[in-house]
Amino acid sequence: MPETPVEDLLRELAPQVLGALVRRYGHFDTAEDAVQEALIAAAGRWPRDGVPENPRGWLITVASRRLTDLLRCEQARMRREDTVARWALPEQWRAPAADRPPADADDTLILLFLCCHPALSPASQIALTLRAVGGLSTAEVARAFLVPEATMTRRISRGKQRIRDTGLRFAPPTGAERADRLAAVLHVLYLIFTEGYARTAGPGLLRADLTAEAIRLARLVHRLLPEDPEVTGLLALMLLTDARAPARIGPQGELVPMAEQDRGRWRADQIAEGVELITGALPRGVVGAYQLQAAIAAGHDEAPSAAATDWAQITALYEVLLGISDNPVVALNHAVAVAMSRGASAGLVLLADLADDARLADDPRLPAARAHLWEQVGERVAAREAYRMAAARSTNLAQQRYLNARADRLSDDPPGGRGR
């Protein structure tokens, strides 16, 4: 078999093994525990003894045995409660029905649908997706979101308990429900990527492990649904955005705005792949939000310099996006694009309309955008105050330093300056 690092192989196989167990035996919460124990066993044995010829089958066998042990223990407890009749051990199951997928089917997509079910809270959706589908340990998920491991353990446990209590079926959604459920999956992956690329709290700007995991999962969904244009759009958006990551951080860990980034450091291979994906997706039919955002990202990435950016095209794309999205951040980005294509004053008028939007009440991006445009039109005092407000709202230390530094630059008016 190809030379694959054991850790990467286990991460790839984890959702397939869990999907196989849940489809065959049910009991998502117990099956997930059994799979984690099988992964731990493999991580200890395979580097020493070698990877088995059929690693997926090995994991399923070991996890199934452990699941049997766990269910036996659960049966003993439930017998004391006179409810044992509702249970059956795995070896007591009959063969799967003929209409079930074969044993080697990849149930990862169904597992994603289950982890992102609307009955779960967004926090549980993200945590379960990273643990059950991403193969991250509870400790790794906790570190990614800057919470204690015990807190993340409770969050994951509540999600699994919710799946058990609501009796959610391990089956793909059908009919009209499928589109909504797929949208929920894509939204969770987008949230994971966004937290990695522009982390909301902590000392650094990026969490490369989260962006990489989000891209890996998006590739997985794209492999399973290659003809879905929004799946393609999301993967393209991630690639085109992440391509700029090497130039987004300065030598001291400081934020470097896109206009000041060294574009020679952008990842050309990701840009080429992202552009190819979105170019192929756009003509397929109805254009969705992820496709439009990917097209906007491509417009930035393909420009040889900030000055050469086609802001008129980007503004037009945002206007199409505004027609299908009520997201205030889209409106904010549209205002910035208008400022770049039609002048800072025009952008400030649009930003003023967002001032009373409660959804942006604590968001640092609105005062930061207003500060930038006020600075362009010479309103240095207003710009300085807005930069300070943005810094106060931000919970990311690197972003705070950048915004405060911008404010400090405006503390003293230059000779003849407008200190209004």
Side-chain angles (χ1 to χ4, degrees):
M1 62 179 300
E3 292 292 327
T4 306
V6 168
E7 184 178 345
D8 291 344
L9 178 59
L10 291 175
R11 181 160 291 182
E12 176 185 347
L13 292 176
Q16 300 179 33
V17 175
L18 179 56
L21 258 68
V22 176
R23 175 180 289 282
R24 181 71 176 86
Y25 306 126
H27 309 298
F28 173 85
D29 53 343
T30 311
E32 204 270 339
D33 291 339
V35 170
Q36 288 298 318
E37 295 193 28
L39 294 172
I40 292 171
R45 184 175 303 180
W46 291 2
R48 182 185 68 246
D49 300 340
V51 177
E53 183 177 348
N54 180 4
R56 181 176 181 272
W58 189 97
L59 288 168
I60 290 175
T61 298
V62 172
S64 296
R65 290 172 180 164
R66 182 55 183 151
L67 178 60
T68 298
D69 294 340
L70 293 172
L71 291 182
R72 281 200 179 105
C73 292
E74 185 67 12
Q75 277 194 340
R77 183 186 67 81
M78 296 186 75
R79 186 178 295 112
R80 291 190 295 270
E81 301 170 2
D82 296 324
T83 56
V84 69
R86 296 191 290 119
W87 287 74
L89 293 177
E91 62 264 24
Q92 296 170 333
W93 280 61
R94 297 191 178 195
D99 59 351
R100 291 192 183 185
D104 61 350
D106 187 346
D107 290 318
T108 302
L109 184 59
I110 303 177
L111 188 60
L112 263 172
F113 279 126
L114 182 63
C115 291
C116 300
H117 195 281
L120 304 175
S121 69
S124 292
Q125 291 175 343
I126 292 172
L128 280 178
T129 296
L130 288 173
R131 161 118 176 170
V133 186
L136 275 65
S137 69
T138 302
E140 288 173 318
V141 180
R143 283 196 299 270
F145 290 94
L146 301 176
V147 299
E149 184 175 351
T151 300
M152 187 57 65
T153 298
R154 289 193 295 271
R155 188 176 298 174
I156 291 172
S157 297
R158 284 195 298 267
K160 294 195 289 186
Q161 185 67 40
R162 180 68 174 166
I163 290 175
R164 178 198 294 174
D165 293 346
T166 54
L168 300 180
R169 294 176 57 247
F170 188 78
T174 58
E177 181 191 19
R178 187 181 186 280
D180 291 339
R181 295 282 300 282
L182 179 58
V185 168
L186 299 184
H187 182 61
V188 167
L189 299 187
Y190 178 73
L191 290 177
I192 294 171
F193 176 84
T194 301
E195 180 58 30
Y197 189 77
R199 62 189 298 181
T200 53
L205 287 165
L206 301 174
R207 280 298 307 259
D209 52 346
L210 281 183
T211 56
E213 184 59 25
I215 291 172
R216 188 185 75 84
L217 293 174
R219 286 191 187 280
L220 186 153
V221 178
H222 182 256
R223 174 174 61 81
L224 297 171
L225 299 172
E227 300 304 317
D228 189 290
E230 275 291 80
V231 170
T232 304
L234 178 60
L235 176 56
L237 173 61
M238 290 181 179
L239 291 169
L240 291 164
T241 303
D242 185 62
R244 302 191 290 266
R248 190 165 175 260
I249 303 176
Q252 305 303 319
E254 70 274 17
L255 169 66
V256 181
M258 190 190 303
E260 301 172 19
Q261 290 175 13
D262 177 2
R263 299 186 176 219
R265 298 183 62 200
W266 290 1
R267 299 184 182 111
D269 57 335
Q270 286 188 207
I271 294 174
E273 183 183 1
V275 169
E276 182 180 358
L277 284 168
I278 192 56
T279 301
L282 284 173
R284 293 184 194 168
V286 178
V287 177
Y290 293 120
Q291 296 166 72
L292 288 168
Q293 291 178 76
I296 291 168
H300 286 297
D301 288 8
E302 291 188 299
S305 65
T309 303
D310 189 346
W311 284 105
Q313 181 189 55
I314 289 176
T315 299
L317 288 168
Y318 270 121
E319 287 170 355
V320 176
L321 185 55
L322 277 173
I324 63 174
S325 173
D326 185 37
N327 189 325
V329 176
V330 172
L332 187 154
N333 290 333
H334 168 252
V336 173
V338 167
M340 298 302 294
S341 60
R342 302 171 193 167
S345 297
L348 283 166
V349 171
L350 295 176
L351 289 177
D353 293 337
L354 295 173
D356 295 328
D357 193 318
R359 294 170 294 177
L360 294 175
D362 298 318
D363 197 307
R365 286 172 288 192
L366 178 57
R370 298 180 81 175
H372 178 67
L373 297 186
W374 270 324
E375 187 177 358
Q376 286 190 352
V377 298
E379 298 285 355
R380 296 171 60 84
V381 173
R384 183 175 67 243
E385 292 174 354
Y387 278 129
R388 296 289 189 210
M389 178 184 293
R393 290 184 180 183
S394 176
T395 53
N396 181 278
L397 296 180
Q399 189 178 68
Q400 288 175 3
R401 286 194 294 268
Y402 169 79
L403 293 167
N404 281 319
R406 299 289 296 192
D408 291 342
R409 289 173 60 249
L410 299 173
S411 293
D412 298 315
D413 288 329
R418 300 168 64 189
R420 293 183 290 180

